[in-house]
Amino acid sequence: MTPAELSSTVLHAVRRAVDAGELDVTVPARAVVAPPGPGGCGDYATNIALQLARPAGQPPYRVAEVLRPYLVGVDGVADVVLTGPGFLNISLGGAAPAALVEEILSAGTRYGHADASDASDASDASDAPDAPDGSVVRLHCPHDLRAVVVADAVARVLRCQGALVRVTAEGFDREWTAALGVRVDGVGPAPVSPPVTVRPVPAPADPLPLGRDAARWALLHPAAHDRPRIGDENLAQREGNPLFRVRYAHARSRALTRNAADLGFAAEPGPVPDAPQELLAALGDHPRVLAAAAAHRAPDRIARHLVAVADAALPFLPAVLPRGGEKPSAAHRARLALAEAAGTVLAGGLTLLGIDAPDHL
C-alpha cells in the first residue's frame, strides 16, 4: 500500500464510520499520512482524529477509537495503535515495501510530481501549491545571486506540483546562467500584481568558484533565514559533506544495478524483510516533502530530505548483492529494487534543485 492509497483508506474508514452513524462529520477531501513523529510507532501515522474532533463534538482519542476498527483488517494494514491525544499509528503488511518501490520505479524521477501520480493525496491541503488552476505564481527577488538561485529552485518545485510560475528580478548578471543554470523571465521592478518576494539571507562570499553543483547546494541547503557557508567544505569528497553523501548514495545505487547485471539478474519489487524502516518512511514521504517545499517556497526542505534518504540508504546498500558463492534470489532482486528506488528519489530531488546526479562518483 502506497502513501496515497493509505490516505484513501483512512478517508474510506471515516466514510464507513459516518455511514454507520458513529461519527457525524463531513468526510474531508484529504487525510494527512506521514511517518510517525516522536512517541509514534508503525510505518505511518495520521492526525485525522484530531482534525475531526471538533466537528464531531468528541475528544480526539474517542474519534480515533471509533476509526481504528475500520482500519484494522483492511488489506495491507497489519495493525493500528493509538498514541498521544489521538494519533492513529498504522503498521503495513509485508507487501508495503514492494508497492512503494513499484510506484517509485514506475514514476521514475517524477515520483512525487503532481502529474506523475496522485500521491499528493497523502498531503495536507495546506501543503499544496496555491496556483494549480492555471493562474500564475509570480516570484520576485532582489539583485542577489542567492535570491535568484532560490527563486529558480522554487520555480522548479512549483512547476513539478502543477503550478505556472514567472520569475522576475531587480537585477540579473548573465554569467549566473552560464555558471549556475539559473534564469529569470524578466528584469526590473516588481510586477504590478503582488508577487511572492524571495529574499533569503545573502551569501557571505561569491559561490561561483565552487562550480554549479556545489554552489547551488551551498545556497539551497540552508533555510532562507540562515546564512550559507561558502567554502571548500562543499567540495570535500567525504562523509562530512552532505552533498557528497547524497550523490554517493545515488552513484552506489547505480553501481549496484550494473553489478547485478554482470551477475545475471535485475531488480524486481518484492518483500524485503530486512528493509530499513527509516528508508521506507523517507521514500514514502517524498511526495509530501515536494508539496510542502512548493507551498512554503522552501527548497531547503528537499535538500534536507535527500540527506535523510541517503543516510538511511547507505547502510543498506552493501547488503543488496549476493556474497561469495551465494546465488541471486528473489530477496536479492527485491533489495536491488529498493536500492534503485532510493537512487531514483535522490536523482529526482537533485534535479529539482538543479544539481547533477552522476552515475559514477
Side-chain angles (χ1 to χ4, degrees):
M1 185 180 297
T2 66
E5 292 169 341
L6 182 56
S7 176
S8 298
T9 298
V10 171
L11 292 178
H12 184 62
V14 174
R15 192 170 295 109
R16 290 173 61 195
V18 170
D19 292 343
E22 295 190 66
L23 288 177
D24 183 13
V25 296
T26 299
V27 180
R30 296 174 183 268
V32 180
V33 173
C41 59
D43 299 303
Y44 294 98
T46 177
N47 66 348
I48 190 70
L50 284 72
Q51 179 182 343
L52 297 177
R54 178 170 292 181
Q58 301 185 45
Y61 200 88
R62 174 55 189 155
V63 175
E65 288 179 324
V66 170
L67 294 176
R68 183 180 181 277
Y70 293 102
L71 288 168
V72 174
V74 173
D75 287 345
V77 175
D79 193 17
V80 179
V81 176
L82 277 57
T83 60
F87 291 101
L88 290 154
N89 296 261
I90 304 170
S91 297
L92 302 179
L100 175 61
V101 168
E102 188 172 0
E103 179 186 4
I104 294 172
L105 296 182
S106 175
T109 55
R110 297 181 67 81
Y111 168 62
H113 290 212
D115 60 349
S117 72
D118 59 356
S120 59
D121 287 346
S123 302
D124 185 16
S126 64
D127 279 350
D130 51 11
D133 57 353
S135 60
V136 177
V137 178
R138 299 183 182 277
L139 305 176
H140 186 73
C141 51
H143 184 199
D144 172 72
L145 177 55
R146 189 187 184 198
V148 172
V149 170
V150 171
D152 178 77
V154 170
R156 292 166 183 256
V157 179
L158 281 166
R159 291 180 183 121
C160 92
Q161 294 300 298
L164 301 175
V165 188
R166 178 176 173 80
V167 180
T168 57
E170 294 174 10
F172 186 79
D173 296 347
R174 289 186 177 180
E175 67 173 342
W176 294 351
T177 296
L180 299 184
V182 295
R183 67 179 181 85
V184 297
D185 300 303
V187 178
V192 176
S193 58
V196 175
T197 301
V198 179
R199 195 182 295 274
V201 173
D206 182 8
L208 294 183
L210 295 176
R212 171 171 173 160
D213 292 335
R216 288 186 71 106
W217 180 269
L219 298 175
L220 294 172
H221 180 249
H225 57 268
D226 291 331
R227 186 174 298 277
R229 298 177 63 184
I230 308 298
D232 291 343
E233 67 271 13
N234 294 288
L235 298 172
Q237 301 293 294
R238 57 175 181 265
E239 290 186 0
N241 178 4
L243 174 58
F244 172 76
R245 297 204 304 276
V246 170
R247 298 176 86 190
Y248 179 68
H250 169 264
R252 284 289 300 128
S253 73
R254 295 297 181 251
L256 290 172
T257 299
R258 295 191 299 270
N259 294 338
D262 292 340
L263 294 173
F265 76 99
E268 183 178 326
V272 183
D274 55 349
Q277 291 304 308
E278 297 85 356
L279 177 58
L280 295 174
L283 297 179
D285 201 32
H286 187 64
R288 185 197 63 80
V289 171
L290 296 189
H296 298 283
R297 321 294 189 240
D300 56 285
R301 295 188 179 208
I302 298 176
R304 291 194 298 273
H305 175 65
L306 296 181
V307 175
V309 172
D311 288 348
L314 283 169
F316 169 74
L317 298 181
V320 169
L321 297 181
R323 297 182 179 181
E326 191 178 10
K327 294 193 182 233
S329 65
H332 293 112
R333 291 190 288 272
R335 289 194 196 107
L336 179 61
L338 177 55
E340 289 185 356
T344 298
V345 167
L346 293 172
L350 286 171
T351 299
L352 286 175
L353 297 179
I355 297 173
D356 184 39
D359 287 352
H360 301 268
L361 194 63

